[in-house]
Amino acid sequence: MKSIGLAKKARPQEEIVRFALLACALISIATTIGVIYSLSVETFQFFTHPAVSVKEFFTGRQWSPNFQNNQHFGIAPLVAGTLVITGIALLVGIPLGVGSAIYLSEFASNRTRRIIMPILEILAGIPTVVLGFFAIFTLTPILRSFIPGMEPTNAMSAGIIMGFMLLPTVSSISVDSMRAVPQRLREAAYGLGATEAEVVMKVIVPAALSGIVAAIILAMSRAIGETMIVVLAAGQKPNLSIDPRETFQTMTAYIVSAATGDLEPGTPPALALYAVGMMLFLITLVLNIISHYVVNRFSEKYD
Amino acid sequence: MSNLTQNTLLTPEERKRLKARQRTGGILKFLTVLPIVLAILLILFVFLSNINNAFVWQTIKRTGSSSGMLFDKKEVTSQEKGFELELEARGDDPAETLSDEENRRKFLLRSRIDHLPEANGEKDKVIVWTSRDKIVDQRPYLEGRRLKSELAAEAAEEGYDFALNPLLDKAFLTRNGSSRPHLAGFRTAIVGTLWVIMLVILLSTVVGVGTAVYLEEYAPKNWFSAVLEVNLRNLAGVPSIVYGLLGAYTFVRSWQMGSSILAAALTLSLLILPVVVIASREAIRAVPSSLRQASYGLGATKLQTVNNVVLPNAVTGIVTGVILAIARAIGETAPLVMIGGAGFISTIPGGWDVLFDRFSVMPLQIYSYFIVPDGNFREVASAGILILLSLLIAIYFVAFLIRLRFERKW
Amino acid sequence: MAHVVVPENHVTVRTDSIAPEDAIVNAEDIKLWYGDFQALHGCSIAIPKNQVTALIGASGCGKSTFLKTINRMNDLIQTVKIEGSMHYNGIDLYDKAIDPVEVRRKIGMVFQKPNPFPKSIYDNVAFGPRLNGFKGDMDALVEKSLRSAALWDEVEDKLKQSGLSLSGGQQQRLCIARAMATEPEVILMDEPTSALDPIATDKIEELIHEIKKEYTVVIVTHSMQQAGRVSDRTVFMHLGHIIEEGPTDLIFTNPQHEMTEKYISGRFG
Ligand SMILES: Nc1ncnc2c1ncn2[C@@H]1O[C@H](COP(=O)(O)OP(=O)(O)OP(=O)(O)O)[C@@H](O)[C@H]1O
Ligand SMILES: [Mg+2]
């Protein structure tokens, strides 16, 4: 047995461990600072470059960084590409995600749930480069066979596959928030003569709505930041349009194309890579913050 | 009031309405099963389409083979001579490689020189399977099977070879990368993935678990921990390509690591750090505080309690969390594209300075098959995809088993 | 606190008998299993119309379980198996042609913990009628229900506020109003006051007294005093058996069965 006096003595070993653990925790702070710093430096250089105007960047309608005589840095086409594809992805991903969540949380037996959860985990684990290959080489030919005007790379197949990619995210967060609805609300609804489906649609889903909305916002952020699927399946042509059959370049796709192309460091096209990255970072950050706000602000507090 | 023939409590109208409500409910229930069915179908479809693509029927024109064929404009008179020429062409020392037993064996595995003995009236010949062999036609398995007789006849007429070529075979696993589809192998990518992932496991586990222990056991509840927490949550939502930009700017350029294994491992470790931390925290939090109290009650220090009570009881959760995070790191492509990971590299990473070697990893190699203009790489990519997916499924299975085996109810 | 065993063939002691035409609910030999565990061992009682029937007994004796067999809430638990018959106005509630949903529409329920939906007070009350496709004046129905639950005066000005914003006692009365809005004939209450303070409890008890003019009430309670105050009839249960039933004053003043006597006098838990 140790005496109390001994336990109170300062232990260098304890202090070293505490310090090491603190250092670990600080690495995540350093990461954030690193991200912001590395994005800022070149973004700043980009915007202060004589060939670039801030106004054009945000309001211009043409993105052509590599045309020597007609160089334009209007981000609108990249944003359009990102939004069109994100829109399709959400159109596919929300019903899939929320629907499967309703099934898993409310209709499936425990056994079924235990089988299906790992399957969704596998879907979540398929690398996006694999999904991108599937989109371009399997889904696109199928879509092209019956939708006229579909280009060889297009927003639609990228968006559809991305919707499936979002399914597990939307589903698992929605399941969590639906399971968090107290059992006694289900009982109350059944006790009033509601059918199983009415209990779900009129009580559980509305009560879990804040969690579901948060899941959707998070999914949106993931869709905007997704890279490989769009690089492979949506193409590399900046396109200010809303036609999902066309080729688009998203913000992420530009970043990849600029990083893999032989751009001379310090030139506007190479710097633009970081400016676009900064935009991407800020947009997803804001969405993540909103998503958390929604959960904290609007979720019901039951005692 | 009592009416024994009646078998409903409702008026006929209400009864009809209830039937309709139940029908709507049935439809809704069906609609919620649909996403699950679609998801399963997609997974199956992804696998099957890649299997279909990875086992191809090829028609090959062997332009690279002839007797006494020239290898880099020098005549090949014997097999041994061929070996020497091939080694020279690769920039290796023929004498050294061929005399050392081990190196010779290694080389022979990769050599493209073949010796055909006398046959059919033709004399002995040394064939150099140069990469100039051309794939004239290549069909996915199902289509090729359907058209088999047609294609075979066509090939025979033109003097081509026609055969089923499983691109995913043992040779694919052991060959290095190549810019010729039918010679491409996955070995560099596999080795690269192993190196990178080993480092990632090391780095992310140490830092991730350290952070989790700090936050759960040490951190005072003040603004600083709140900042840490919010920061981690937001990091979890940062797109992976942004981590790539961080890596490219900081590790590759500022710290001059170049497009190295180390840079890749650092980038991926930071990328999965939030996931590891969140999983580890959950595992640590699941350890009942009564166990901690008991430990403190016996006079243990904080460190002893963490080491002897908290971590041993949280280890299953931590390990599962790390495994799943690693699975994610294995499949990540975009950040590594950003830090300049290569599609095709000729040397296998290794040696004492392996951390600074250039590298490729599986998803990068797959992506690189896409960038090459030669369409024939698509099938090779499918072979690579199958390997990657099998690895991931194996990993998920292990995590699943661990969870099943050690699931603990407090 | 001796563990008292009830013989399997125990016959319920009945102080009086209820004419079939007075009974609205008639349970006969109800046996219920949760998986392998038998929670009810053949319970038979008649529940007379427009009276308050109290179920009392030690914790875990099967009061809630029995109560839920009346409106088929137990059907929601997958492992449950039920035998016996339950008639409501002469209709077999467990008949194959009967949908549990219609049973619950006719036999409402109020739970131990107030469980208003996270919706407005108005929407809480209107929930049931809307499901049933109520075509009349919804505002009037909501007001009538809230008045019957003695809540109208307190919430008149804040019908759009969330039901969760009310106090515990108000929430429970809201739940009673909600149950009454579907216009059931029977209301089942499972320890409706156990989560409430004494003042709120008084209000609910008063309310129960009021509503029995229009409804038949079956109430589970832990408190014998409460049973004495609110009920016309009392059913004493033990370990899944109905030991004794009869008019409340008789049970409390002159219990027939030894176990009832012990329970009433507080000599076993
Ligand atoms: N869902 C269930 N699954 C398995 N057993 C159950 C379930 N619900 C109740 N039981 C068991 O059935 C028995 C009767 O339970 P019930 O809830 O009806 O008792 P009760 O008389 O209402 O008790 P209390 O006064 O504590 O509410 C108990 O032994 C209980 O453990
Ligand atoms: Mg009970």
Side-chain angles (χ1 to χ4, degrees), chain B residues 34-226:
Chain B
L34 210 55
I36 310 253
V37 174
L38 288 177
I40 293 173
L41 283 181
L42 180 81
I43 296 174
L44 283 181
F45 209 17
V46 166
F47 269 92
L48 294 179
S49 71
N50 281 309
I51 291 173
N52 188 32
N53 284 340
F55 294 81
V56 290
W57 297 89
Q58 288 181 326
T59 313
I60 293 202
K61 185 175 169 192
R62 294 218 154 136
T63 52
S65 52
S66 67
S67 68
M69 148 93 197
L70 291 181
F71 192 95
D72 272 352
K73 305 217 171 62
K74 288 180 205 119
E75 196 178 358
V76 180
T77 49
S78 71
Q79 197 171 16
E80 203 62 24
K81 178 77 180 158
F83 293 159
E84 282 167 22
L85 290 173
E86 190 181 354
L87 278 165
E88 251 168 46
R90 288 187 184 182
D92 293 348
D93 181 359
E96 195 179 291
T97 311
L98 292 173
S99 57
D100 180 90
E101 201 45 49
E102 166 129 26
N103 282 342
R104 184 184 169 93
R105 218 162 3 93
K106 271 193 196 154
F107 164 72
L108 285 184
L109 274 177
R110 284 180 285 150
S111 165
R112 304 214 198 89
I113 312 268
D114 227 346
H115 181 249
L116 291 190
E118 183 177 5
N120 299 338
E122 289 187 56
K123 61 174 193 158
D124 273 13
K125 60 181 177 184
V126 173
I127 294 178
V128 183
W129 300 95
T130 70
S131 41
R132 264 172 242 107
D133 282 357
K134 241 178 90 180
I135 300 173
V136 180
D137 191 13
Q138 171 165 287
R139 311 265 172 147
Y141 182 80
L142 289 178
E143 189 191 340
R145 229 190 103 85
R146 192 156 42 80
L147 304 175
K148 195 168 153 192
S149 49
E150 216 173 289
L151 292 171
E154 218 170 272
E157 199 170 299
E158 306 275 341
Y160 298 150
D161 286 349
F162 175 76
L164 176 67
N165 187 1
L167 293 172
L168 176 58
D169 55 4
K170 209 172 119 220
F172 182 69
L173 291 170
T174 51
R175 273 192 308 247
N176 287 346
S178 162
S179 53
R180 316 279 163 181
H182 51 297
L183 295 174
F186 217 49
R187 175 150 169 249
T188 35
I190 294 173
V191 174
T193 288
L194 288 181
W195 275 116
V196 171
I197 290 307
M198 252 159 39
L199 279 176
V200 171
I201 293 177
L202 201 72
L203 292 169
S204 66
T205 310
V206 170
V207 178
V209 177
T211 306
V213 170
Y214 180 78
L215 283 172
E216 288 300 314
E217 304 288 328
Y218 285 84
K221 294 271 162 284
N222 56 16
W223 65 269
F224 177 67
S225 339

Side-chain angles (χ1 to χ4, degrees), chain A residues 5-28:
Chain A
L6 201 66
K8 285 222 167 129
K9 226 169 167 180
R11 290 155 183 274
Q13 200 186 337
E14 293 272 330
E15 283 310 303
I16 292 171
V17 169
R18 173 191 296 275
F19 190 75
L21 292 176
L22 176 63
C24 288
L26 286 176
I27 286 183
S28 65

Side-chain angles (χ1 to χ4, degrees), chain C residues 18-24 26 46:
Chain C
I18 294 160
E21 62 272 19
D22 292 338
I24 183 162
N26 229 317

